[in-house]
Amino acid sequence: MASVAERLQAAGAVNALELRGVTRMFGALAALTDITLSVRPGERRAVLGSNGAGKTTLFNCITGDFPPTSGTIRFFGEDVTDFPPQDRIRRGLRRTYQISQLFAGMTVFENIYLGCRGVSRGRFSMRPPRRADALVQAAEELLDAVHLVPVRDLLVAELAYGQQRQLEIALALAGAPRFILFDEPAAGLSPTERSELLEILNALPPHIGFIIIEHDMDVALRVVDSVTMMHNGRIFKEGRPEEIESDPEVQELYLGGAHA
Amino acid sequence: MSERLATQPPAPRAGAAFAPGTAAVMPAAGGGGVIARHPVWATVVAVLILLLAWLVFGAWPAGLIAVLGRKRVVLNAVLNGLTLGGLYFLVASGFTLIFGLMRNVNLAHGTLYLLGGYVGYVVGVASGSWLLAFVAAAAASALLGLLLQWGVFRRMEGEDLRQTLVTIGISIVVGDLMLWVFGGDFYQIQAPDSLLGAVKLPIVVATRGDGSAVLLTYPRVRLVVFAASVVIGVLMWLALNRTRIGMMIRAGVDDRDMLVAFGKPVQLIFAAVFAFGAGLAGIAGVVGGTFQSLAPGEDTHFLLASLVVVIVGGMGSIPGAALGALLIGLSEQVGIVYLPTYSVVLTFLIMVAVLAFRPAGLLGRHVAPAQAGASMALLAAAAAARRRPRGEPVVFGLRAPTLVVIAALLLMPLVANGFFLVQVFAWSFVLGMIALGLTVLAGYGGMVSLLQMTVAGIAGYLVAVFGHSGVTTVSLGWPWWAAVLAAILIAVAFGTVSGALAVRTAGIYTIMITLAIASAFFYLTLENYAIFNGFSGFNSVPVPHVFGIDWRRPVAFYYLVLFWAGLAYVVAVFLRRTPFGLALQGARDNPRRMAALGFNVTAHRVAAYAIASLIAAVGGVLLVWLNGEIAPGTAGVGPVVDILVIAVVGGIGDPIGAFIGALIFVLLRTFASDALTFVGLNQERFQLLIGLGFLLIVFFSPDGVLGLWARWRGRPRAAA
Ligand SMILES: Nc1ncnc2c1ncn2[C@@H]1O[C@H](COP(=O)(O)OP(=O)(O)OP(=O)(O)O)[C@@H](O)[C@H]1O
Ligand SMILES: [Mg+2]
């Protein structure tokens, strides 16, 4: 039976994400070491760090793609450490991948439809989708939101790179997300595409929080309330964007390194 | 807060980096005190050893004999199991070595075994030297192995499914060539006189009336060969673990780039290992030819034994192969004593238990499914060739060519005689249905299962068992509908559960596991009489009279089969557009992304097995009605592979491919004998023809006849 504390937590003041001592090994390599992190509901945070810092691995642990070697992960108060990815996703977690993970042999619409289907019931449905289905409508709206209507029936393999990135984001917006992990969504985009991306991120309803991994400080800092710096699989600094930006150590370790 | 965090980065890392190293050193340093550190386990092990020693050397009390049987029989079975395990190890260790280093699944491994055996026989007879037989066998098999490595595996690097299909084709072709040369006779290789006869072991099995002891006798040659396999195994282990080359090979197992980093010619090492593994199979062929015999079919037998051994022991692990070989050898031989006619079930259960609890095998390391999934590129490509509307006239949603085909099929009985209707068309439709399930599984789901014919076979057998047949001692005589319903239910349950086992691993493992399960069923039907009536199976299985129609009449039967095949086809086509079908295709192309979208990939895959099994089960019922009989050969390893051949030759990219493949197969099967006689070959060379055709298709048109057709028309279907 749930303790009073647990019920109180469930009622409100509970973090969207709560990581405690998360460590992930790849063989002898510690990609993440003892990560402790909490993110409030609706909070928008950037994770910065040089190549190989463990940012993507952090996402993989949170979504369960690669479960942590040790430590616990709570999603809105619920311990999801041992959940398979799909059970976390069905609870409102979403993610995009640094390298697009799309269904190249399917049409854009089919990709988005799958995204919507995955977080609703009827995943085993034997009834072909029809125009009037609520889920099809939802998919069409999503298509519109990420400006992909003109390429609706093209195969994903035929899309331009920027459009594939947009589709990647659409997949993370399907259904009713509560928290989203964006892995370098802006990488490789043109300036126009970048500002479209920022528009989409800024237009997200305020209750939806996210973490964004982004190498470009200018992009990152325009959409987030807080920043976490990672290095060598550890968190070494957390703070508000302007604190981080002006921090000499960050300048040296990250910005300096990145520009060198 | 930022102060505290800021001080953290460099300092603790060094400690963390050293931690694993220290942990690894510790047990080695404290190795001497095992007994002191695990007193309980040490005691248990000691007691077990004493018990074992007593069982072997002591005199058995009557109570024990009542439970276990006579000591001589039991010990004989155990020794047979151990020595058979030695033989299995020789074959399987080569297979696992090749797989471990290169991830090459060589389904022609059994062929290497049988080839070695035959060559050894010929050389042995000609030279009179047993040792020379070994040398020649090893050389011949190693040579064929090199050819395979160079001509197939290297050429198709990274396409492991295609490699596997090609090795299946090669094993069909070479198998038939060997049959051509050596015929269906049994050959036995003579061991030298010094190894003949029996040894008396210092083991008392009984006491004579006069008080003197009866010692256990056992064929010397089997003991010698067993000792030799132990020596070979230990040498292999030492070579892998104690020499520089071995270390490099093991490093290559983990990471190929490592090998390159060593600056060694990777291809040379690969070729050498391949030749060595193949040579071992050849040596095993001589061993097997000495204490068993050589005959067609032994290639499949030993391929399957290797598969089971490797699945149980752990894929790619030499100690695993040893453990698996002993387990399987013992279970077969001890099973014969305690579970006559069900001993295969014992082997099967061991395999199932391992797959259920340790999918990577007892001593195997876990292989990430994502990694295995990437190998399915061939299927993905085949399935990505998708049909799109072409702007031709459409009636009831059907395009003109489709309408023509439908009309032709419906009007067929007006022009075709009974033979064509049943032996050509109905048979094609039935085989097409069974293969169609594979198209669904492989084309939509990326799972190449060899279970389809087995599921069909189970359904067919059970119709005869529950319903009526000429074997009245076994058949239960239920009304036809009850028998059919029960048969289909059980067959689908079997297919689904087997599928659930198979999906615990992915990619190329699916072929290995499903082939092993399928063959277990084949051997069960062969040796079990209580349910499956053994070698002869069931005859005179009647087609029911329903609605006043005698469905056995060719025209009626033709329409019956056409209806079910058509229904299955429509379901398969329809499935592709359903949310379930889309999800299945998604799971094929990118299982990781599917999970990250909220799908339970495993559940979808198992459901796909259920659907494929349902289609196969209905096909199986029709098949037993068509033939009026069913025997082990119906779902033997040959037909099991034929279904794969049919699906691949037709084209996995579209459900119609299964039927096209089946029609080609049946036409060849029916008329090839005339054609073969015409070009001066024996009509028995049918398998050769099938195998060569299959090889050609896999080599040149992975998407089958359908793909050829699409390319010939100059418009690949993938284009919009
Ligand atoms: N599947 C894997 N197997 C083995 N090592 C891995 C795996 N994934 C990541 N790593 C290792 O873990 C470390 C952290 O990688 P990660 O991808 O998390 O870094 P990142 O911060 O996302 O870097 P980038 O900015 O390049 O995307 C790296 O050293 C990487 O090589
Ligand atoms: Mg990354």
Side-chain angles (χ1 to χ4, degrees):
Chain A
M1 115 177 170
S3 71
V4 177
E6 271 170 0
R7 274 193 240 161
L8 273 181
Q9 267 209 324
V14 56
N15 280 323
L17 263 184
E18 179 91 48
L19 275 66
R20 295 229 162 274
V22 168
T23 297
R24 169 73 207 198
M25 309 292 296
F26 287 113
L29 171 87
L32 289 180
T33 310
D34 195 20
I35 298 284
T36 294
L37 178 78
S38 39
V39 187
R40 285 173 284 105
E43 182 178 339
R44 280 117 201 250
R45 177 175 306 213
V47 169
L48 305 180
S50 48
N51 286 345
K55 308 179 296 290
T56 300
T57 306
L58 178 69
F59 277 16
N60 285 332
C61 283
I62 296 174
T63 56
D65 284 37
F66 298 137
T69 312
S70 63
T72 58
I73 297 171
R74 287 176 171 273
F75 186 61
F76 285 94
E78 189 177 11
D79 186 345
V80 298
T81 317
D82 297 323
F83 284 21
Q86 66 265 22
D87 289 345
R88 309 180 192 209
I89 301 301
R90 291 176 196 177
R91 281 166 174 73
L93 183 65
R94 300 284 186 278
R95 79 172 290 180
T96 70
Y97 287 88
Q98 184 172 357
I99 299 165
S100 295
Q101 301 282 324
L102 303 166
F103 304 103
M106 295 187 197
T107 65
V108 172
F109 178 77
E110 284 167 338
N111 271 262
I112 294 191
Y113 179 75
L114 271 182
C116 295
R117 191 91 250 179
V119 288
S120 69
R121 302 172 57 130
R123 284 172 283 258
F124 285 85
S125 166
M126 295 285 180
R127 207 175 62 84
R130 306 201 191 123
R131 282 238 149 248
D133 293 354
L135 208 68
V136 173
Q137 298 295 324
E140 301 281 6
E141 278 166 30
L142 194 49
L143 201 62
D144 190 37
V146 291
H147 316 294
L148 288 176
V149 176
V151 292
R152 179 185 187 278
D153 294 316
L154 286 192
L155 295 183
V156 167
E158 299 163 349
L159 294 188
Y161 178 80
Q163 290 171 320
Q164 294 193 359
R165 295 306 289 169
Q166 252 150 335
L167 181 53
E168 183 73 31
I169 288 172
L171 291 183
L173 301 180
R178 289 201 284 177
F179 199 87
I180 311 178
L181 308 171
F182 293 105
D183 198 344
E184 303 199 20
L189 295 188
S190 70
T192 342
E193 288 168 337
R194 246 165 224 252
S195 54
E196 272 178 14
L197 171 70
L198 288 182
E199 228 171 83
I200 292 173
L201 293 183
N202 279 323
L204 285 177
H207 73 275
I208 300 181
F210 61 75
I211 301 181
I212 181 171
I213 298 176
E214 182 49 66
H215 280 292
D216 186 339
M217 282 270 202
D218 296 337
V219 173
L221 302 187
R222 263 156 64 193
V223 288
V224 301
D225 331 304
S226 57
V227 177
T228 296
M229 296 292 304
M230 287 183 67
H231 188 67
N232 271 343
R234 290 173 185 274
I235 293 178
F236 82 96
K237 195 158 284 234
E238 288 183 303
R240 277 180 287 113
E242 53 278 15
E243 286 171 10
I244 295 290
E245 214 170 3
S246 57
D247 187 289
E249 208 173 1
V250 171
Q251 299 259 335
E252 183 195 335
L253 242 167
Y254 178 61
L255 298 177
H259 287 235
Chain B
M1 171 172 111
S2 44
E3 299 280 315
R4 183 168 55 84
L5 285 162
T7 56
Q8 276 191 7
R13 260 202 74 77
F18 278 107
T22 3
V25 169
M26 254 181 5
V34 177
I35 298 174
R37 274 185 290 123
H38 303 285
V40 179
W41 281 114
T43 317
V44 170
V45 169
V47 168
L48 280 178
I49 290 177
L50 284 177
L51 189 68
L52 208 64
W54 177 74
L55 277 175
V56 172
F57 296 105
W60 288 13
L64 191 63
I65 294 179
V67 177
L68 290 180
R70 290 186 21 235
K71 185 178 171 187
R72 189 181 57 79
V73 177
V74 176
L75 285 189
N76 232 318
V78 170
L79 281 175
N80 281 344
L82 287 176
T83 48
L84 181 63
L87 175 56
Y88 282 168
F89 172 76
L90 283 183
V91 191
S93 56
F95 184 85
T96 209
L97 192 67
I98 290 170
F99 178 80
L101 178 61
M102 296 163 264
R103 299 283 129 178
N104 290 339
V105 176
N106 176 18
L107 292 188
H109 198 73
T111 309
L112 296 169
Y113 165 89
L114 190 56
L115 179 77
Y118 280 138
V119 168
Y121 173 82
V122 171
V123 171
V125 167
S127 68
S129 159
W130 196 50
L131 285 181
L132 212 56
F134 277 103
V135 175
S141 296
L143 196 67
L144 180 58
L146 276 179
L147 272 176
L148 280 173
Q149 205 268 335
W150 172 80
V152 179
F153 290 104
R154 236 169 108 173
R155 198 157 291 204
M156 302 183 178
E157 179 117 35
E159 300 177 79
D160 46 3
L161 181 63
R162 214 160 141 222
Q163 296 171 342
T164 309
L165 294 180
V166 170
T167 56
I168 289 181
I170 288 176
S171 63
I172 296 176
V173 169
V174 179
D176 199 62
L177 288 175
M178 290 192 292
L179 178 65
W180 197 356
V181 176
F182 292 95
D185 303 333
F186 288 82
Y187 291 83
Q188 178 116 35
I189 299 175
Q190 281 300 313
D193 293 341
S194 56
L195 293 181
L196 286 181
V199 258
K200 274 198 164 51
L201 297 174
I203 298 173
V204 181
V205 282
T207 335
R208 286 202 193 85
D210 59 10
S212 65
V214 180
L215 295 182
L216 185 70
T217 56
Y218 200 74
R220 175 176 288 131
V221 66
R222 293 188 73 123
L223 292 176
V224 169
V225 163
F226 179 72
S229 14
V230 171
V231 170
I232 289 181
V234 170
L235 285 181
M236 256 165 94
W237 189 84
L238 284 177
L240 277 176
N241 289 279
R242 294 280 182 274
T243 65
R244 256 183 67 80
I245 290 277
M247 306 259 192
M248 272 182 317
I249 291 175
R250 285 194 309 138
V253 170
D254 293 330
D255 182 358
R256 284 214 201 147
D257 300 334
M258 279 285 259
L259 271 186
V260 185
F262 274 122
K264 293 289 161 185
V266 185
Q267 289 303 343
L268 202 68
I269 292 183
F270 282 4
V273 169
F274 212 108
F276 178 74
L280 264 185
I283 288 176
V286 178
V287 171
T290 308
F291 64 73
Q292 300 183 340
S293 56
L294 302 166
E298 286 301 299
D299 45 354
T300 340
H301 176 183
F302 276 89
L303 168 66
L304 296 170
S306 311
L307 283 180
V308 175
V309 163
V310 168
I311 290 171
V312 168
M315 317 199 194
S317 151
I318 297 285
L323 180 62
L326 283 183
L327 268 178
I328 299 305
L330 277 173
S331 93
E332 273 185 21
Q333 294 297 324
V334 175
I336 288 175
V337 174
Y338 293 109
L339 294 166
T341 89
Y342 287 98
S343 71
V344 179
V345 176
L346 196 61
T347 307
F348 178 72
L349 286 180
I350 292 177
M351 191 172 78
V352 168
V354 168
L355 282 176
F357 297 108
R358 281 191 67 95
L362 291 176
L363 300 182
R365 268 175 305 164
H366 185 68
V367 185
Q371 193 187 344
S375 66
M376 307 308 283
L378 164 74
L379 286 178
R386 299 175 40 187
R387 183 152 40 194
R388 309 187 135 253
R390 289 199 200 121
E392 287 160 3
V394 168
V395 182
F396 292 127
L398 299 171
R399 279 168 298 111
T402 317
L403 288 172
V404 171
V405 171
I406 292 177
L409 288 176
L410 285 176
L411 299 178
M412 190 67 74
L414 294 180
V415 290
N417 61 21
F419 171 80
F420 263 89
L421 285 182
V422 176
Q423 292 307 324
V424 175
F425 288 108
W427 192 24
S428 304
F429 297 157
V430 169
L431 288 182
M433 269 180 89
I434 297 170
L436 178 70
L438 176 56
T439 306
V440 169
L441 274 176
Y444 298 175
M447 296 168 284
V448 183
S449 155
L450 288 171
L451 282 172
Q452 286 300 102
M453 197 65 204
T454 303
V455 172
I458 290 177
Y461 259 112
L462 292 181
V463 165
V465 172
F466 292 137
H468 297 272
S469 82
V471 188
T472 47
T473 44
V474 178
S475 292
L476 299 175
W478 294 3
W480 71 269
W481 53 268
V484 166
L485 214 63
I488 290 179
L489 277 178
I490 294 176
V492 171
F494 176 88
T496 313
V497 171
S498 306
L501 287 174
V503 300
R504 293 183 59 88
T505 55
I508 214 68
Y509 294 90
T510 314
I511 290 192
M512 297 168 52
I513 290 167
T514 53
L515 183 57
I517 296 177
S519 65
F521 175 73
F522 166 65
Y523 286 112
L524 175 65
T525 56
L526 203 57
E527 58 176 52
N528 179 274
Y529 281 82
I531 300 175
F532 297 102
N533 201 33
F535 181 72
S536 36
F538 297 86
N539 55 8
S540 313
V541 182
V543 186
H545 256 274
V546 194
F547 308 129
I549 297 173
D550 180 3
W551 292 98
R552 192 178 10 213
R553 286 181 28 243
V555 174
F557 193 74
Y558 171 83
Y559 280 120
L560 177 72
V561 174
L562 181 63
F563 171 77
W564 286 106
L567 187 66
Y569 173 73
V570 170
V571 165
V573 172
F574 177 81
L575 206 60
R576 171 187 273 170
R577 294 279 134 244
T578 64
F580 170 72
L582 275 178
L584 196 58
Q585 294 166 66
R588 170 197 69 205
D589 295 343
N590 196 337
R592 183 173 170 199
R593 176 41 119 172
M594 285 304 281
L597 289 180
F599 289 93
N600 183 342
V601 169
T602 307
H604 274 83
R605 289 182 171 155
V606 174
Y609 270 98
I611 292 173
S613 300
L614 182 60
I615 299 176
V618 175
V621 173
L622 294 171
L623 186 66
V624 72
W625 284 347
L626 174 96
N627 295 329
E629 59 184 22
I630 188 158
T634 312
V637 178
V640 159
V641 172
D642 285 343
I643 293 298
L644 176 67
V645 172
I646 286 173
V648 170
V649 165
I652 288 180
D654 190 294
I656 200 66
F659 292 100
I660 294 175
L663 189 62
I664 295 175
F665 180 85
V666 168
L667 287 175
L668 272 181
R669 182 122 260 188
T670 315
F671 300 106
S673 53
D674 298 335
L676 285 169
T677 337
F678 184 74
V679 295
L681 283 172
N682 189 325
Q683 47 178 328
E684 280 164 14
R685 295 287 75 78
F686 170 72
Q687 282 300 330
L688 195 60
L689 207 65
I690 288 281
L692 285 175
F694 179 63
L695 273 180
L696 282 178
I697 289 281
V698 179
F699 258 105
F700 297 110
S701 179
D703 42 359
V705 174
L706 278 179
L708 279 181
W709 170 249
R711 276 194 293 281
W712 181 70
R713 292 193 39 167
R715 16 183 194 170
R717 292 210 214 95

